[in-house]
Amino acid sequence: MTFLRNRAGYILVFAIGFAIVAFLVGDAINVGKPFWAANQKTVGSVDGKDISIDEFGPKVDQNLNQFKQQYGGSANAQMTAMAVDQAWNAELAGVLLNKEYERLGLTVSDDELLDLLQGQNPSPLIKQYFSNPQTGQVDRVALMNFLKSKEPQAVSQSNLLQQEIKNQSLQQKYSNLIRNSVYVTSLEATDEYNNRNKLANFKYVSLDYTSIPDASVKLSDADYSEYYDQNKARFNNPQETRSFDYVTFSISPTAADSLAVKTQVDKIAENFKVAPNDSLFAAINSDVKIPFTYLTKGKLDPAIDSAVFALPAGSFYGPKLTGTSYKLVKVIDTRFSPDSVKASHILIDPAKVGGEDKAVKLADSLKSLILKGGNFAELAKNYSIDGSKDKGGELGTFARGAMVPEFENAAFDGKAGDIRVVKSQFGIHVIKIEKQIGSSKVAKIAYVEKALGASSKTQAAAYKAASNFLNDVKGKDFSKYAQEKGLKVSVADKIAPTQGFAAGLDNPRKLIQDAYAADKGDVLPEIYTMTNSYVIAHVTEVRPKGTLPLEAVKKEIEPMVRNAVKAKMLKEKFDKAGKASLDQIASKVGRPVNPVQNIVFANPIIPGVAQENKLVGSVFGSQPGKVSAPVDGERGVYIFSVDGFTNPAPIANMFKQKESMLLSLGQRSLGAAFQALQDNATIKDNRVKFY
């Protein structure tokens, strides 16, 4: 105690100092630790405003669902990356644009909002959601009922709709403000017109870079530095990227695996032919489930589709190996059926009428009323729980595959004018078949598909090989050791943190996440599972955001530096040819004179050569009849002589020329303005930790 009392001051100072240091560097030394749990939920921040995963995640899920509906199929890594990017860009726009709106004083008044909701020229969203499909006009009654509704869900939806209408209006005002700030002068319009219409005729002599062997050119550090300094603007990296090498260990089926699958398929085929319940057998044994209903031609694998639809009912087809799976098909029935059906329905929810029995009785009663002349549309409005009730139960025209099987069978198996009652997973339907269109052959099939897959023994052997490599490669040269083991080293170059794809990898997201948590030179700690392989990876490069140093791009720019050195050598060759006519210089360097006709500045492509911007730019800046100085281009070094220019006729309509340019400039300016907002904002992007 005496010791503590005598030294209390020192201890207190030390404790306070330690606490301050811990506070200042805590974020740096505790990233990802439970103590900073709040940071673990932050996807990123924009100018100090944190974006929480709790708010961000549902927006990603919503985008992903939209993509799945738009493109079909299940979500994959690339689709997920698109959904994440779209949600992130929306967050950026929300924060940055709202700050701009406030700074510029842009608002939407209550009167404006009322006009956008109920006025003569309502918001596009009102037109989208409340237009009558028959008339194309806004259904004012439905709109007012929606806006006046006191139901909690309707109130919530109304608030969301009004906020989105406000956002769209503010975006439109901001867009108009940006576009109206763009101006095109008569001089600019004339210059643009001439660039697209003034013609140049010239002759040139070229010395190609390929005329000097690469091996004869020795590059110095000064050569690299000179090229880097002259082209530094090209080396701005807009976002951090990482590169990695990787090796794969195949888990594709071996010959023995394929034989085992074939033996299994042959046995399934024998049992399938005599199965008493075809649909149940297919459901139990098939890797791919196809509805047990009538299908139109074109729905099956093209390799078996035509064959199956040429068979009569009762036939068996297969086993047939196509792609990576065996197919077996039992044709249960064939018939000719409508291509599409127009129908209406009344959907009854058994839970709301006291059970299924009462729902069926109600449906039968409604059917009787309709058959006696009752108004189907009015009955749908009064009894149906489906959204189609507001349109009298109309479902429009649909093809096979659009409805659940029970509904589809009733609509396609009946005839126009029939009223049918059917039960489905949604409830009890009273269906009115309005019209049946077309006729084509359909087949009801039982379908079994068995994929060729690697056996557990094959997978275990591949995993063991990958595990051994991962343990042995640590501390060694990754590429060299892989080559010693006879493994091919693949490269994934400049991978962005949220990228959903990488060369040769079909499911790379976990690998990319780990690459961003590692340092250059690290072997990633996991064995990554792809569709047909296990993968071991090694981070080879980390490129930070901003201007990259020379060392980071040295290997990449080597071909350009070599051409720059060759250009100096070829220019010396032209200089030694002396100041003479183009024909004389061509003779001395042993190259032909090439004539070029009708080149425009806006399209600097030399026929049969390449796009040569510097050459064409020099041509339009030269006087006719003079032999130019050497110009280093993309393919080689050129000298030229202009024969002459053909000037276009004067602009017939200056206003139209300016208007065309303004339209293009206006479209670009909005994107440029948003990019400028991002460039001047403090943005932290941690998405790679979550997706």
Side-chain angles (χ1 to χ4, degrees), residues 515-528:
Y516 271 82
D519 296 322
K520 180 179 178 179
D522 286 354
V523 175
L524 299 186
E526 289 191 27
I527 298 171
Y528 300 94

Side-chain angles (χ1 to χ4, degrees), residues 564-608:
V565 174
K566 288 182 179 182
K568 293 178 182 178
M569 299 165 66
L570 295 174
K571 284 180 178 179
E572 288 179 4
K573 189 172 182 179
F574 272 130
D575 290 340
K576 289 178 181 178
K579 303 291 183 180
S581 69
L582 201 62
D583 289 331
Q584 290 172 327
I585 295 173
S587 177
K588 289 180 181 179
V589 299
R591 298 290 296 166
V593 176
N594 300 290
V596 182
Q597 302 290 318
N598 300 331
I599 295 295
V600 296
F601 183 84
N603 187 28
I605 296 176
I606 308 302

